[in-house]
Amino acid sequence: MTPTRPHLLARGLWTALILHTCLPGCGGGGATHGGADGSVATPDSAVIPGTDGGVFTGGGQAPVAVDCQHIGSGRDIQVGNPAVESGSGILQVTSIGDVPWETLAAGDTVRIFHRSEPYREKFTIATSGTEAQPIRVCGVPSASGELPVLSGDMATTRSALGSVFGAYGNDSMQQRGIVIIRGEEYEERVEWITVEGLRFTGTMHAPYHTEDANDFVDWDGTTRPYDGGAAGIRVQKAAHLVIRGNEFDHLQVGVYMISQDLNYGEQFMIRDVLLEGNYFHDNALVADYNKHQAYIQGIGFTVQYNYFGSPIAGSLGNDLKMRTAGEVIRYNYFENGAHAIDLVDIEDFVGAVQPWQFAYQVTQLPNAERTDAMTRQAEAWTAYQATFVYGNLFHMVGEDAWPSVIHYGFDNSPFDRRPGTLYFYFNTLVYETDAADDSTMRVFDCCSDFEDSYYGDDAVQVGGLWHYVHGGTDYGPMLQQVAEDFPLMRAIDNVFVLKSHTPGQPRSDWEWNRWASDRVSLERNFITTGWDTQDLDSSATLDGFGMGQMPESVVYPGANGAHHVTGAETLITGAALPVDLQTFAPLAGGPLFDEAEALPSDIPASLHPTHQVSLVPGSPGQLNIEARTSLTTLGAIE
C-alpha cells in the first residue's frame, strides 16, 4: 500500500491543522489520501526498489511503488501494452502521441507500459478530473520493476496539441518540459490530476551548462531547443495534484511549479499538492544557482517519502526550493545541494498572502470575488507563519556538500520573508565533510540579502516604517527589517553527526547559524562532541555560533555583537558515532534512546512523527519505510 498524506484542501488548510481536526473528505476517495486522524498509512515494513541512476537508457525505480491499474470510471488508455486487450472503454495505442490528451476526462487512466527503449515523446494535460474520479497517468513497470522512461531528447509532440494552445500564440510552453500541466484557456486551472510511476530524463546533455539544452520536436514539426529551466513536469495553474513514485534525472529542473499573483485571479494559484515517493538525482545546471531539483510555488504542499540524491556535479542548485505557504516536509532523504531545503519568501503571488500587498490588490477585484479572496488570504497568511519539517534524513557528504543545510526566511525581499516559526524536529543529519573542502558547515541560515527599497517607489518610509504606497494610497506597513521580527527556527529532538569524509583528515568546523541575528532555539538535540571547537575560522569570536554581520540599519542593536542561539545547555553530546552510517538507524546502546523531549503544544498531534525512513545500504534511490511506534528516541529513526 502506498504511503499517503493528510488531505490538505487549499481552503481551511491551516485552521484544520492547528485545531488538530480533519478536514471534510479526509479519508475519502479519489485524490484524498489521509486517515481520519490526519496520519499516514504505510506498511509496517517495506523495502522499495531503487535504481542505478543511468542516463537515457533502461528504467529506474522510485522509493514508492505504484500499482498502475485502471480504477476510474473512464477510459483505460494503454500505451505500448504488448498484450492485446479488448473490452468496454479500452483504447490501445502504440505511442504517447496517439493518446487523445486534449479530450481526457474525469476517470480516464493513461497507462504507459515499460519497454526497453525510452519513449521520446512528450505530452500535455489540459483537462480536469474530479475528487472521486481524477485523471491519472501512470507507468506500468517491467517484470523486474523498471519504470517506463520518457526522454526529452528529440521528443515529439502530438500535433493536435497545437489547437489546444492556439490561444497562446507561438508560446505553447512545450519548450518548458516533457509534461506540461495547465489549462487549455489562458485563465483556466486544471484540477485532480495524478502522475506516477514514470521516469523523466534527457532535457539536457553534458557538460550540463545553460547552453546544453537538448532539442525536441514541437506540435508543428519544428525542432526547437528546451528552455533553460525545462522540467520533467512543469505545472502552471493547477490544484489537487499528486506526483508520486517517479524518477527525475538529467533535467534542468525535476519538477517546476509556479503560481501567480492575485491580480491574475485565483485560477493562477497552485494549491493542494502531494509530492510523494519520487527519486530526484543529477538535476540542475552546472554553476547555476537558479535551477534546482524541485522548485515549487503555491499554497498547501505535502512533501514526503522522496529520495533526493545529489544534484548534478558542479551545480549551485538546491534539492528542494519552496516559495510556498502551508508546507509539511517529512520522511524524505536529502543529499547535498546548495541547500538541502530552501524555504524562502513568496515571489510571484505576494498579494495572495501578504496583508500589505493584498490590501491593494483586493481593491482591483470585482466585488463578487472579494469575500472569497479575503478568506483565502487570511488562511494563507496563517499558513505562511509555520513550517513543519520532521522525520527526514540529511547527508552532507564529500566535496559536493555545501555549508548551509536549511535556508529559512528570504533570499529576495525582506518585506516578504517568512515571519513565523520553522519547526524542525526528529530529523537526523550526518555531515561527512573535510575541512579542506568545506571550512565550516552549519544547519540554519535565515535572511541572507537585504535591499532597503525592494519595491522601488512603492516602498515608502512612513514614521520610520516601510509602507506600501500605491497611487497615493497607503496600504499599510510591510514586514520590517528588524531582527527581533525574524523567523524563529526551533530545533527539537534532532541528531547532528559530525565527522570527516576522508580518514585521517580533519573534519569541517561547525556552527549552528550563519548570521549573528539568526534566531535559533535548541531543544534537546544530540550533536557530536567538539561542535564548539573552532580551528579554522579565525574571524569567529564564539566557537560553534555563526557571527555573520548584517548592516546595522536593518537589525536591532547588538545583533551584530552577539549570536541569538539559545538552549545550548540542553544539548546531548558524545564522541562516538551514534548512528549506523549505512542506514542512519541509531546504534544499540548509544546516547539517543529515551532522551527525546515532548513536542511543544503548538505542533498539532496530526504532525507528530508516525513513520520513519532509513537507507538501504548500497542502493541509491531506495528507502525502507516503517511505522514509528514511539517518540522517545532522538532523530528520525527510533
Side-chain angles (χ1 to χ4, degrees), residues 56-77:
F56 307 144
T57 60
Q61 297 161 337
V64 168
V66 170
D67 184 9
C68 186
Q69 297 295 321
H70 174 56
I71 57 176
S73 61
R75 293 170 292 180
D76 178 8
I77 304 172

mmCIF file of all heavy atoms in Angstrom, residues 56-77:
data_model
loop_
_atom_site.group_PDB
_atom_site.id
_atom_site.type_symbol
_atom_site.label_atom_id
_atom_site.label_comp_id
_atom_site.label_asym_id
_atom_site.label_seq_id
_atom_site.Cartn_x
_atom_site.Cartn_y
_atom_site.Cartn_z
ATOM 1 N N PHE A 56 19.462 7.942 -19.754
ATOM 2 C CA PHE A 56 18.750 7.799 -21.020
ATOM 3 C C PHE A 56 18.396 6.365 -21.415
ATOM 4 O O PHE A 56 17.664 6.164 -22.369
ATOM 5 C CB PHE A 56 19.538 8.416 -22.181
ATOM 6 C CG PHE A 56 19.950 9.823 -21.949
ATOM 7 C CD1 PHE A 56 21.163 10.290 -22.420
ATOM 8 C CD2 PHE A 56 19.136 10.706 -21.267
ATOM 9 C CE1 PHE A 56 21.560 11.600 -22.220
ATOM 10 C CE2 PHE A 56 19.524 12.007 -21.061
ATOM 11 C CZ PHE A 56 20.737 12.460 -21.532
ATOM 12 N N THR A 57 18.902 5.370 -20.769
ATOM 13 C CA THR A 57 18.593 4.001 -21.160
ATOM 14 C C THR A 57 18.029 3.242 -19.982
ATOM 15 O O THR A 57 18.208 3.615 -18.829
ATOM 16 C CB THR A 57 19.850 3.278 -21.668
ATOM 17 O OG1 THR A 57 20.820 3.251 -20.625
ATOM 18 C CG2 THR A 57 20.441 3.973 -22.886
ATOM 19 N N GLY A 58 17.368 2.132 -20.292
ATOM 20 C CA GLY A 58 16.783 1.337 -19.219
ATOM 21 C C GLY A 58 15.683 2.083 -18.513
ATOM 22 O O GLY A 58 15.012 2.931 -19.062
ATOM 23 N N GLY A 59 15.483 1.775 -17.243
ATOM 24 C CA GLY A 59 14.467 2.458 -16.464
ATOM 25 C C GLY A 59 14.747 2.288 -14.997
ATOM 26 O O GLY A 59 15.218 1.239 -14.555
ATOM 27 N N GLY A 60 14.500 3.310 -14.208
ATOM 28 C CA GLY A 60 14.767 3.246 -12.783
ATOM 29 C C GLY A 60 13.531 2.897 -11.991
ATOM 30 O O GLY A 60 12.493 2.536 -12.534
ATOM 31 N N GLN A 61 13.667 3.014 -10.692
ATOM 32 C CA GLN A 61 12.566 2.754 -9.782
ATOM 33 C C GLN A 61 12.604 3.793 -8.682
ATOM 34 O O GLN A 61 13.663 4.312 -8.353
ATOM 35 C CB GLN A 61 12.690 1.332 -9.208
ATOM 36 C CG GLN A 61 12.589 0.261 -10.293
ATOM 37 C CD GLN A 61 13.163 -1.078 -9.853
ATOM 38 O OE1 GLN A 61 13.987 -1.142 -8.966
ATOM 39 N NE2 GLN A 61 12.735 -2.140 -10.498
ATOM 40 N N ALA A 62 11.475 4.113 -8.104
ATOM 41 C CA ALA A 62 11.372 5.189 -7.125
ATOM 42 C C ALA A 62 11.080 4.623 -5.737
ATOM 43 O O ALA A 62 10.728 3.453 -5.594
ATOM 44 C CB ALA A 62 10.280 6.161 -7.555
ATOM 45 N N PRO A 63 11.197 5.455 -4.680
ATOM 46 C CA PRO A 63 11.007 4.951 -3.317
ATOM 47 C C PRO A 63 9.617 4.400 -3.030
ATOM 48 O O PRO A 63 9.474 3.571 -2.136
ATOM 49 C CB PRO A 63 11.294 6.185 -2.456
ATOM 50 C CG PRO A 63 12.173 7.038 -3.289
ATOM 51 C CD PRO A 63 11.704 6.833 -4.685
ATOM 52 N N VAL A 64 8.595 4.868 -3.720
ATOM 53 C CA VAL A 64 7.232 4.375 -3.500
ATOM 54 C C VAL A 64 6.762 3.651 -4.756
ATOM 55 O O VAL A 64 6.751 4.221 -5.844
ATOM 56 C CB VAL A 64 6.273 5.522 -3.142
ATOM 57 C CG1 VAL A 64 4.823 5.067 -3.190
ATOM 58 C CG2 VAL A 64 6.603 6.071 -1.760
ATOM 59 N N ALA A 65 6.390 2.399 -4.614
ATOM 60 C CA ALA A 65 5.922 1.617 -5.743
ATOM 61 C C ALA A 65 4.508 2.039 -6.129
ATOM 62 O O ALA A 65 3.689 2.374 -5.282
ATOM 63 C CB ALA A 65 5.949 0.126 -5.398
ATOM 64 N N VAL A 66 4.229 2.013 -7.431
ATOM 65 C CA VAL A 66 2.933 2.420 -7.970
ATOM 66 C C VAL A 66 2.242 1.217 -8.589
ATOM 67 O O VAL A 66 2.849 0.473 -9.356
ATOM 68 C CB VAL A 66 3.117 3.536 -9.023
ATOM 69 C CG1 VAL A 66 1.817 3.799 -9.762
ATOM 70 C CG2 VAL A 66 3.625 4.808 -8.357
ATOM 71 N N ASP A 67 0.994 1.023 -8.251
ATOM 72 C CA ASP A 67 0.175 -0.024 -8.859
ATOM 73 C C ASP A 67 -0.644 0.617 -9.966
ATOM 74 O O ASP A 67 -1.676 1.232 -9.717
ATOM 75 C CB ASP A 67 -0.737 -0.658 -7.811
ATOM 76 C CG ASP A 67 -1.552 -1.820 -8.373
ATOM 77 O OD1 ASP A 67 -1.282 -2.228 -9.531
ATOM 78 O OD2 ASP A 67 -2.458 -2.305 -7.668
ATOM 79 N N CYS A 68 -0.163 0.487 -11.191
ATOM 80 C CA CYS A 68 -0.791 1.177 -12.327
ATOM 81 C C CYS A 68 -1.938 0.352 -12.895
ATOM 82 O O CYS A 68 -1.846 -0.249 -13.962
ATOM 83 C CB CYS A 68 0.257 1.473 -13.396
ATOM 84 S SG CYS A 68 -0.345 2.479 -14.764
ATOM 85 N N GLN A 69 -3.024 0.327 -12.153
ATOM 86 C CA GLN A 69 -4.248 -0.326 -12.618
ATOM 87 C C GLN A 69 -5.293 0.742 -12.933
ATOM 88 O O GLN A 69 -5.317 1.800 -12.311
ATOM 89 C CB GLN A 69 -4.793 -1.268 -11.540
ATOM 90 C CG GLN A 69 -3.865 -2.413 -11.188
ATOM 91 C CD GLN A 69 -3.654 -3.368 -12.344
ATOM 92 O OE1 GLN A 69 -4.592 -3.662 -13.092
ATOM 93 N NE2 GLN A 69 -2.435 -3.856 -12.490
ATOM 94 N N HIS A 70 -6.136 0.438 -13.888
ATOM 95 C CA HIS A 70 -7.221 1.359 -14.202
ATOM 96 C C HIS A 70 -8.353 1.142 -13.212
ATOM 97 O O HIS A 70 -8.937 0.062 -13.128
ATOM 98 C CB HIS A 70 -7.723 1.118 -15.627
ATOM 99 C CG HIS A 70 -8.944 1.929 -15.974
ATOM 100 N ND1 HIS A 70 -8.976 3.295 -15.875
ATOM 101 C CD2 HIS A 70 -10.177 1.552 -16.401
ATOM 102 C CE1 HIS A 70 -10.168 3.739 -16.231
ATOM 103 N NE2 HIS A 70 -10.914 2.703 -16.555
ATOM 104 N N ILE A 71 -8.656 2.180 -12.420
ATOM 105 C CA ILE A 71 -9.705 2.050 -11.406
ATOM 106 C C ILE A 71 -10.788 3.102 -11.570
ATOM 107 O O ILE A 71 -11.761 3.104 -10.824
ATOM 108 C CB ILE A 71 -9.108 2.149 -9.987
ATOM 109 C CG1 ILE A 71 -8.348 3.461 -9.807
ATOM 110 C CG2 ILE A 71 -8.206 0.959 -9.697
ATOM 111 C CD1 ILE A 71 -7.820 3.684 -8.406
ATOM 112 N N GLY A 72 -10.627 4.004 -12.527
ATOM 113 C CA GLY A 72 -11.616 5.053 -12.725
ATOM 114 C C GLY A 72 -12.798 4.577 -13.545
ATOM 115 O O GLY A 72 -12.830 3.450 -14.069
ATOM 116 N N SER A 73 -13.770 5.439 -13.700
ATOM 117 C CA SER A 73 -14.969 5.106 -14.469
ATOM 118 C C SER A 73 -14.816 5.449 -15.941
ATOM 119 O O SER A 73 -15.714 5.162 -16.740
ATOM 120 C CB SER A 73 -16.169 5.877 -13.902
ATOM 121 O OG SER A 73 -15.951 7.285 -14.008
ATOM 122 N N GLY A 74 -13.694 6.070 -16.323
ATOM 123 C CA GLY A 74 -13.492 6.482 -17.704
ATOM 124 C C GLY A 74 -12.753 5.445 -18.518
ATOM 125 O O GLY A 74 -12.783 4.245 -18.246
ATOM 126 N N ARG A 75 -12.017 5.940 -19.499
ATOM 127 C CA ARG A 75 -11.320 5.058 -20.430
ATOM 128 C C ARG A 75 -10.026 4.499 -19.837
ATOM 129 O O ARG A 75 -9.364 5.156 -19.034
ATOM 130 C CB ARG A 75 -10.981 5.823 -21.712
ATOM 131 C CG ARG A 75 -12.186 6.243 -22.536
ATOM 132 C CD ARG A 75 -11.783 7.189 -23.649
ATOM 133 N NE ARG A 75 -11.341 8.496 -23.127
ATOM 134 C CZ ARG A 75 -10.940 9.513 -23.894
ATOM 135 N NH1 ARG A 75 -10.898 9.358 -25.212
ATOM 136 N NH2 ARG A 75 -10.576 10.658 -23.346
ATOM 137 N N ASP A 76 -9.687 3.296 -20.237
ATOM 138 C CA ASP A 76 -8.402 2.674 -19.932
ATOM 139 C C ASP A 76 -7.562 2.783 -21.197
ATOM 140 O O ASP A 76 -7.668 1.964 -22.108
ATOM 141 C CB ASP A 76 -8.609 1.218 -19.528
ATOM 142 C CG ASP A 76 -7.303 0.480 -19.248
ATOM 143 O OD1 ASP A 76 -6.243 1.138 -19.217
ATOM 144 O OD2 ASP A 76 -7.349 -0.756 -19.067
ATOM 145 N N ILE A 77 -6.726 3.818 -21.261
ATOM 146 C CA ILE A 77 -5.927 4.092 -22.451
ATOM 147 C C ILE A 77 -4.542 3.500 -22.225
ATOM 148 O O ILE A 77 -3.803 3.934 -21.337
ATOM 149 C CB ILE A 77 -5.846 5.603 -22.718
ATOM 150 C CG1 ILE A 77 -7.253 6.195 -22.837
ATOM 151 C CG2 ILE A 77 -5.037 5.883 -23.978
ATOM 152 C CD1 ILE A 77 -7.286 7.709 -22.902
#
